[in-house]
Amino acid sequence: MRYAETGYNLEVDLTRGNIEKVATDPKDTALYLGGLGTNAKIMWDRVPPEVEPFSPDNLLIFSTGLLCGTPAVGCNRTIVTTISPQTRLLAFSMMGGFWAPELKHAGYDKVILRGKSPKLIYLWIHNGKVEIRDAAHLKGKGAVETAELLRKELKEPKAQVAAIGMAGESRVYFASIEQGRSSASRGGIGAIMGDKKVKAIVVRGTQDVHIAQPETFMALCTEVMDYIKFREENPIPGVMPILAGLGSPQEMKVHDEKWHTENFMWGNSRVRRKDFWNDEIEKEWTETMEAARTRLVSCYNCPMTCGATISIPGLPTYMMKCFTKLTYTMAAMSNLDFGLKIAQRATEYGVDGFSAPQVMAFALELYENGILTDDDFPGMPADNEGRFYWLLDRIVRREGIGDVLANGTYWAARQIGKGAEAYAHNNIKKHEQLPLKLSMLNPIYFLMYATGEKINITQIEGQFPQAPFPEREQREEFVKNWHQVPHEKFKQYFLDWELRGENSIPFYPTVEMTCDIVDWQERMHYIDDALGMCAGLSSFPLKPPYHIHNYPKFISAGTGIDMDEESLTEATRRYRTLVRAINIRRGMRREDDKPPENHWKKRFPELEATLLDAYYKMKGWNNQGIPTEAALKELGLDYVHEDFVRREIYTGGQEAPAQ
Amino acid sequence: VRDDKKIKKIKTIRIDVDKCNGCRACEVICSAFHAEPKYSSNNPARSRIRVIRDPLADIYVPVYAGDFAVAECAGRDKYTIDGKQYDECAFCRASCPSRDDFKEPDSGLPLKCDMCEGEDEPLCVKWCITDALICEEREEEVEEREDREDLEIGLEAMASKYGMQKVIDTIARLSNKD
């Protein structure tokens, strides 16, 4: 009997139309947990670095997290893993919603797609019955529209659907996979789904998920629920509202957008509008949001209402969450009404709400600067908002200039030439970032941006306050009930952190402290990604209900695998190292571990080098960021070391640990 | 049959569909609580509360399992409330042939809400921290009839079918067998 997990994966060979239910090795659960951990193991074993993103040999894995489908509150994420067409590295974007628990109840931990279907299909998984079905009638349909059509066609209103829109079908490098109120957007995984000609995966499951130690597990769940209630009633004082509570930043609830609109950049991540927010705009935007928003909605088994149903007269209803609220608005230098309207079309097309607006703003900046000309935009409307719709329509169809822009700013700039590269200025590892440009280098964020292989800061940061509190009394108050810290020393780090003076950024937190903080933050995200837990209840917010002290208990009671803080940390290090190993094998090196050049005005090259060296050393990586023989063997990843040696990854005596 | 005036505690769950966030935590905890042994498994398909959902139409109705119905209704109406169209079944508690809700998924046996006997309040209410489900207890003066036992009702039916004498004879014969 397997607990929390089902012990079976669904292997689908799309080329041949073959479907198999394959039992998994319980030893892998102990070593790599589940979700991202076991996905990474499969990707390492089966997708060598020679495999191109659009090769039939690339895999597209839809995985539940280890605790998805159990009563663990907020544990509902699907971890989608593949090789990204944009970064050409491992992409492991995730989505909340309802899909992963449904798959567990259907009797599977993962759906592993390989090969390529000769024609557009969808997959229908209904407990033991799995079918590949023709999707010719869904070609060009919106992602939300597709889900509704499939539920009707199958007469299964309770089925959960993960679908791509036109962007995925056209292999747009920033195409998303949409699932009602959630989407897996980063890294262009929707393009891989489209390349494999899979329009949707529909799941319905009515089987039990078992728990190893029921009473203990339920007591842990109840503790978490009680703590959530406590935090809902007691927001953290002294931080901005979106950081005071739990869940994803509450963008659907909060109307005060002074902080985002005045601190984030507009257009192609260029312009900061320091006095943008005023009473008039606040009134107008509040009215827009309240008129459009019909309900605040949650993911499976979670009380946090981070999403919203958006109904705008004359447009189909869709669901939204988090920061997509502002990305289109700010890229187009427009207002919220425009942002909510174009996001409807973008959601049906299935594009990433971070990358898509920036790609369009980038195109218009090239046009304003004469690098692209009228010839590149035949028939484009003259008005700003009209241009964004026009560009979006062409990108998702790969028509004209849209075909170039569909590859994202990094690749498009290289195709366009004529100095366009300088305009693709906001990428890490070829991937568009949040439009944020700051002054003084922050050592914690430097390391997270540089080394975070999820390549998206919101899925790397968390736990530790983003900035020091001005008064020591406030800091003392904050650390009082900070039981989530893995070690008491973190409290001292924070207590001594000042806004100005000796103990301020960039030299405080010290290099050693910075490494500790980043390692803790990263560890919590990696645990979430294996368990399927939403970062909004764990790794992202301050003082979350899940932490390093209760997670081992959840895993032990849920799965029956003995786990303590030490062994959980080791398992996490193991698959985190494996993620890096996959990328190293695909050519990623130290030179790729860097934030956008203009992210901070004041840079400190020596300090940055020292930070990287120290962090690499702590991680067991050499000065090129390659996991060392000793580190690999300590984690039982001898097979990675053997492969590195065979492929001559360690060259020029770089096997020695960083100094 | 005795008729008595009695004070009875009646538990009511007040359902506010406007507050429902559609998370289905109620289904999760219900199915876990009723697993054998308790909490050893969970499965919303076995839950005695279901959220009738149609997210894009903004329809979210938590419904509790009530009595078993042998046959489905002959005609089913549509209700329009605040511009939203609901199927009559969206408010119906019956475990009935028209739908899979409120039945064990493998055996098809009907399920019925028992308000989580033994707990302070039904667990779905406890887990619904958006307060779409609120449990209220009120006292009501009821005329309570002492219910006749099932056996008595059964025997009466037998007597009307076969005649009282034949039933008595059969019982006598069966009791002599030992």
Side-chain angles (χ1 to χ4, degrees), chain A residues 476-552:
Chain A
E476 278 167 359
E477 195 57 36
F478 181 82
V479 302
K480 260 184 201 162
N481 58 354
W482 199 10
H483 60 266
Q484 290 84 353
V485 289
H487 191 281
E488 289 297 305
K489 66 185 175 188
F490 289 94
K491 294 183 180 173
Q492 201 58 47
Y493 294 175
F494 183 64
L495 280 172
D496 297 339
W497 194 14
E498 307 267 2
L499 272 174
R500 274 166 205 89
E502 219 172 282
N503 279 5
S504 68
I505 60 168
F507 294 105
Y508 189 97
T510 64
V511 170
E512 191 191 336
M513 293 172 187
T514 302
C515 290
D516 281 344
I517 294 166
V518 173
D519 184 62
W520 169 32
Q521 294 181 310
E522 184 181 80
R523 190 193 325 166
M524 298 321 295
H525 277 286
Y526 272 77
I527 296 173
D528 288 350
D529 300 349
L531 302 186
M533 185 60 68
C534 176
L537 284 181
S538 176
S539 43
F540 183 80
L542 298 167
K543 301 185 180 174
Y546 293 99
H547 43 78
I548 192 64
H549 309 302
N550 64 2
Y551 258 154

Side-chain angles (χ1 to χ4, degrees), chain A residues 363-375:
Chain A
L364 292 173
E365 207 183 50
L366 291 179
Y367 179 60
E368 280 157 23
N369 288 279
I371 293 174
L372 291 174
T373 64
D374 284 328
D375 296 343

Side-chain angles (χ1 to χ4, degrees), chain A residues 580 584 587-593 612-613 616 621-628 649-658:
Chain A
R580 173 141 287 239
I584 288 291
M588 189 185 78
R589 294 292 183 273
R590 184 186 181 112
E591 62 180 356
D592 301 297
D593 278 346
L612 266 191
D613 285 341
Y616 282 175
W621 306 340
N622 70 16
N623 59 11
Q624 277 302 305
I626 306 168
T628 63
I649 300 261
Y650 302 114
T651 49
Q654 283 166 352
E655 199 172 348

